[in-house]
Amino acid sequence: MRTRDINKETVIREKAIEMIVDQGFEGLSMHKLAKAAGVSVATIYIYFKDREDLIQQLYAEEMQKMVEATLRNFDPESHFDDGLKVQWLNRMNYCFENPYSMFFTEQVKHSPLVDRSNIDTRFLNAMHRFVNRAIERNEIIPLPVEIYWSIAFAPLYQLVKFHIAKSSMPGRPLFVLDEEKINLTLGLVIKALKP
């Protein structure tokens, strides 16, 4: 049995994420990945059973990294306005530092290739407690979780995408997500969720 090489494994993981983001799932084959990573196909099978195992492991690991970043300095007991700002800044900074990870997890999460039930319970519990405490304190209105998430976080992720892509709406100048724009948008989001 061949030995594991952490450097090769890291390159395989990075190249797989890049290929999925840049070319979609169809663009990822073990042969193409081996060539991009500068390893043999057999080397990939030291670390992963098959293509689906590779995607599932990558998704679980990237989600875990995002969860750790999202929960940094976050107190689920905090006032809603303060806690949401921490969430926004944590998520934004993570996406800016890991754009391929952001696009990869976004793409995979909406596919049938992964089991989304394996999300870190610390994250689910913290978010659940945060929102429920805010509702109990009458800081926000109760909403179905999909509507809450769409109001609370979708604006952030769209602005992050504009910033990372160095683009904007057609005919508009380059969009840069700065503190002023964060505060403006966050204020509007909080206002939309208030009773």
Side-chain angles (χ1 to χ4, degrees), residues 13-54:
R13 290 172 185 281
E14 289 171 356
K15 292 299 179 185
I17 289 172
E18 288 174 19
M19 290 176 77
I20 290 170
V21 170
D22 293 340
Q23 303 169 32
F25 294 115
E26 301 79 26
L28 178 68
S29 72
M30 296 309 220
H31 289 282
K32 287 181 184 177
L33 177 57
K35 184 175 180 180
V39 300
S40 71
V41 174
T43 300
I44 296 173
Y45 288 105
I46 293 171
Y47 308 103
F48 308 100
K49 290 186 294 193
D50 53 30
R51 181 177 175 267
E52 285 72 27
D53 180 52
L54 167 66

Side-chain angles (χ1 to χ4, degrees), residues 17-149:
I17 289 172
E18 288 174 19
M19 290 176 77
I20 290 170
V21 170
D22 293 340
Q23 303 169 32
F25 294 115
E26 301 79 26
L28 178 68
S29 72
M30 296 309 220
H31 289 282
K32 287 181 184 177
L33 177 57
K35 184 175 180 180
V39 300
S40 71
V41 174
T43 300
I44 296 173
Y45 288 105
I46 293 171
Y47 308 103
F48 308 100
K49 290 186 294 193
D50 53 30
R51 181 177 175 267
E52 285 72 27
D53 180 52
L54 167 66
I55 293 169
Q56 290 171 4
Q57 282 192 44
L58 289 174
Y59 180 74
E61 290 167 11
E62 294 305 310
M63 285 301 295
Q64 188 58 42
K65 290 177 194 173
M66 191 190 77
V67 163
E68 295 297 330
T70 300
L71 293 178
R72 188 174 301 125
N73 300 319
F74 174 68
D75 179 4
E77 298 296 327
S78 64
H79 187 280
F80 182 77
D81 299 13
D82 299 329
L84 190 61
K85 185 164 189 173
V86 170
Q87 282 288 300
W88 268 46
L89 294 176
N90 285 349
R91 291 168 190 241
M92 180 189 74
N93 289 329
Y94 180 79
C95 292
F96 285 173
E97 293 167 11
N98 304 279
Y100 269 101
S101 178
M102 179 195 76
F103 288 116
F104 169 77
T105 55
E106 182 80 8
Q107 192 169 350
V108 175
K109 119 170 66 169
H110 298 292
S111 81
L113 295 173
V114 294
D115 178 8
R116 288 174 292 284
S117 66
N118 289 336
I119 194 163
D120 189 326
T121 57
R122 291 176 309 131
F123 177 77
L124 293 176
N125 292 339
M127 294 302 108
H128 182 76
R129 195 161 83 231
F130 175 63
V131 170
N132 283 338
R133 291 290 291 136
I135 292 168
E136 289 168 9
R137 293 187 303 243
N138 203 34
E139 295 167 354
I140 62 171
I141 57 174
L143 293 167
V145 68
E146 297 82 3
I147 295 172
Y148 165 77
W149 189 94

Side-chain angles (χ1 to χ4, degrees), residues 162-174:
F162 281 139
H163 181 91
I164 289 172
K166 297 183 179 11
S167 68
S168 183
M169 302 300 286
R172 302 275 305 146
L174 173 76

